[in-house]
Amino acid sequence: MRKNHWIARLAGLLLVSYTLLVVSVAATGGAGSEGDPLVSLSYLNDTFLAQLLLKVDEKLDVRDQELADKFDAQVRQDTQRLNEQFGGAAAPSSGGTSTAADTFSVVTMSNGQTLYGDIGCEVMLRVGTASCVTPSSPGLIDETDASILGNGSALVKNHLYMMTIDERGVKATAETTKLLVRGGYTIK
């Protein structure tokens, strides 16, 4: 009788296993259907990833534009604040290079070139020779010895000259002329 008992247990175990197998297959029978589709690796790599990257790029472009707009607005605001605080830069004159500075800068000119300074521009001849260019009197003010330099008069090296009226300048009369310049100017 013990043998029969063992066979009954085996038959019951097989019946339970078969039932579990049938239930499992029935439960997973929806995989791959429209409600629960199977996803292939090629779909993930070719379609899904490309769409995902496109959406990320679009969001990054929008964010980049927002940051660029904020940066531009900040630059405009800071520029306006600095212009109000320091009075802005000198406006360039027509026909040459113009600059404005709070400190002296070295300007190198060739023979025949003329530097026209804005009102208040200061120049000092360091190398070569140069002469005063002015359509009327007074020409350049020599700040070193408190004299006035007229049209065609030679500048003295290491003397500081100031332009107090428009259309005053310094013409290079040597192959290479170097000036220290502070203030706005135009070279023609």
Side-chain angles (χ1 to χ4, degrees), residues 16-92:
V16 169
S17 297
Y18 178 75
T19 305
L20 288 175
L21 180 65
V22 169
V23 170
S24 297
V25 169
T28 61
S33 68
E34 192 172 308
D36 185 18
L38 289 176
V39 178
S40 68
L41 182 60
S42 62
Y43 172 79
L44 288 175
N45 288 336
D46 299 338
T47 306
F48 179 73
L49 187 60
Q51 290 174 353
L52 181 66
L53 290 175
L54 182 64
K55 287 183 181 182
V56 168
D57 286 343
E58 289 172 357
K59 289 189 183 254
L60 285 175
D61 289 343
V62 168
R63 183 66 178 152
D64 283 348
Q65 188 60 46
E66 288 174 0
L67 289 174
D69 291 344
K70 284 182 182 180
F71 180 75
D72 290 342
Q74 185 67 43
V75 167
R76 281 191 301 276
Q77 181 183 6
D78 290 347
T79 301
Q80 181 181 358
R81 182 179 51 81
L82 289 172
N83 282 339
E84 289 172 0
Q85 185 176 358
F86 296 109

Side-chain angles (χ1 to χ4, degrees), residues 93-185:
S93 305
S94 60
T97 304
S98 181
T99 184
D102 292 332
T103 60
F104 283 97
S105 59
V106 176
V107 176
T108 304
M109 299 187 323
S110 300
N111 190 11
Q113 285 186 311
T114 303
L115 178 142
Y116 290 96
D118 295 342
I119 294 175
C121 179
E122 296 175 300
V123 296
M124 179 184 289
L125 178 64
R126 295 292 293 147
V127 174
T129 57
S131 63
C132 175
V133 175
T134 178
S136 62
S137 186
L140 300 176
I141 305 299
D142 186 339
E143 295 181 64
T144 305
D145 66 10
S147 63
I148 296 174
L149 203 59
N151 190 38
S153 299
L155 276 69
V156 178
K157 284 185 182 176
N158 300 321
H159 277 222
L160 187 60
Y161 297 92
M162 179 183 278
M163 287 108 176
T164 59
I165 302 175
D166 282 331
E167 299 180 15
R168 298 325 188 236
V170 175
K171 183 176 184 176
T173 56
E175 192 61 38
T176 300
T177 300
K178 292 188 181 209
L179 303 169
L180 289 177
V181 181
R182 176 169 51 195
Y185 65 89

